[in-house]
Amino acid sequence: MIAPLLEAGLPALGVEPPAGAVARLEEYARLLLEKNQVMNLTAITEPQQVARLHVLDCAALLGVYALEGKRLLDVGTGAGFPGVVLKILVPSLDVTLLDSLNKRLDWLEETCGALGLAGIRTLHGRAEEHSRGDAFREQFDVVTSRAVAELRTLSELCLPYVRPGGAFLAMKSVDSDEELSAAGGAIAALGGRLREKRDYRIPGTDVRHRVIVIEKISETPKKYPRSFAKIKKNPL
Ligand code: SAM
């Protein structure tokens, strides 16, 4: 029973859950842990910890950046973090969940159906491939990513999807100062600019995390993103 924990934790993050959202989050956590017994979805196996370290952690984005009515892409969504949590808490959000691992996406399709969510879909493939085509390039108001790659690399994977005027929200640890300064050149080359880094504490824990907000101020040059081999070998 994680509902009381969510009912206390969400307002502490400045988030007022819409009607039915807490029950949906609870069901999502239940389905996650059930499937986790047969498929590797998360290393966290205790319901209260899923509530804190996954659900509340992802919900913290809403205290940093307003998402109502936006078109959002979640890069490397895994089991749906933060994309599914955000969709449940902000029903007007249009969400695309991108991952290179198809079996996780199959589970997410099934789960979003079971939760009765509309306006959310999956996209299978590598982040650096889909953004080369017109269908997705600079088509999103907001791109999120959590626990996928170091910021320098991640910026090349994510910023090409963001429309000028939109933002890339990177979920990081509070120890990411060095990573952030190392990514300065990449962010500028890709048309981004650091707007802010916001640290928060996950309610009910001593865990502190960070949201890095990078705004898109100009179009990403067509030569980006490069192939993953090049990104890895020679990060911007
Ligand atoms: N964001 C989720 C979370 O916070 O729990 C999942 C994090 S998991 C450690 C990283 C995910 O990113 C994996 O599901 C992996 O398949 C995906 N991934 C890594 N590199 C990717 C790429 N270049 N394109 C698409 N997905 C990628």
Side-chain angles (χ1 to χ4, degrees), residues 44-119:
I44 300 170
T45 55
E46 205 269 311
Q48 313 268 314
Q49 291 297 78
V50 170
R52 293 185 181 104
L53 300 179
H54 280 319
V55 179
L56 292 177
D57 187 35
C58 293
L61 270 185
L62 297 172
V64 177
Y65 200 89
L67 291 178
E68 284 77 16
K70 300 251 160 75
R71 190 170 184 212
L72 179 145
L73 174 73
D74 187 22
V75 169
T77 192
F81 300 111
V84 173
V85 172
L86 297 174
K87 175 65 192 176
I88 292 173
L89 289 168
V90 184
S92 65
L93 197 59
D94 182 272
V95 174
T96 301
L97 305 166
L98 167 66
D99 206 283
S100 53
L101 214 60
N102 210 18
K103 63 180 185 170
R104 288 193 179 139
L105 296 182
D106 287 344
W107 175 77
L108 280 170
E109 287 281 351
E110 199 182 297
T111 299
C112 289
L115 295 172
L117 298 176

Side-chain angles (χ1 to χ4, degrees), residues 15-202:
V15 179
E16 273 312 318
V22 168
R24 272 198 172 123
L25 289 168
E26 188 166 53
E27 179 62 1
Y28 173 43
R30 190 189 71 73
L31 292 169
L32 173 79
L33 289 179
E34 184 180 83
K35 190 67 175 185
N36 203 39
Q37 311 216 342
V38 291
M39 186 191 286
N40 180 17
L41 291 173
T42 175
I44 300 170
T45 55
E46 205 269 311
Q48 313 268 314
Q49 291 297 78
V50 170
R52 293 185 181 104
L53 300 179
H54 280 319
V55 179
L56 292 177
D57 187 35
C58 293
L61 270 185
L62 297 172
V64 177
Y65 200 89
L67 291 178
E68 284 77 16
K70 300 251 160 75
R71 190 170 184 212
L72 179 145
L73 174 73
D74 187 22
V75 169
T77 192
F81 300 111
V84 173
V85 172
L86 297 174
K87 175 65 192 176
I88 292 173
L89 289 168
V90 184
S92 65
L93 197 59
D94 182 272
V95 174
T96 301
L97 305 166
L98 167 66
D99 206 283
S100 53
L101 214 60
N102 210 18
K103 63 180 185 170
R104 288 193 179 139
L105 296 182
D106 287 344
W107 175 77
L108 280 170
E109 287 281 351
E110 199 182 297
T111 299
C112 289
L115 295 172
L117 298 176
I120 185 166
R121 68 205 64 77
T122 62
L123 178 61
H124 175 233
R126 296 197 58 93
E128 65 277 16
E129 286 165 8
H130 280 300
S131 62
R132 293 200 195 106
D134 290 345
F136 300 108
R137 191 174 185 91
E138 301 194 320
Q139 294 300 309
F140 295 89
D141 302 306
V142 179
V143 173
T144 53
S145 196
R146 177 185 187 249
V148 173
E150 195 224 338
L151 192 60
R152 214 146 58 132
T153 303
L154 197 59
S155 296
E156 190 163 349
L157 298 184
C158 294
L159 273 168
Y161 289 104
V162 183
R163 66 161 177 84
F168 162 40
L169 310 178
M171 303 189 70
K172 289 283 171 187
S173 106
V174 287
D175 301 323
S176 53
D177 282 341
E178 246 176 67
E179 188 179 333
L180 181 57
S181 25
I187 293 168
L190 294 155
R193 178 171 65 194
L194 174 67
R195 185 198 287 181
E196 67 169 315
K197 50 178 190 177
R198 182 93 65 92
D199 295 351
Y200 59 89
R201 187 179 60 78
I202 302 176

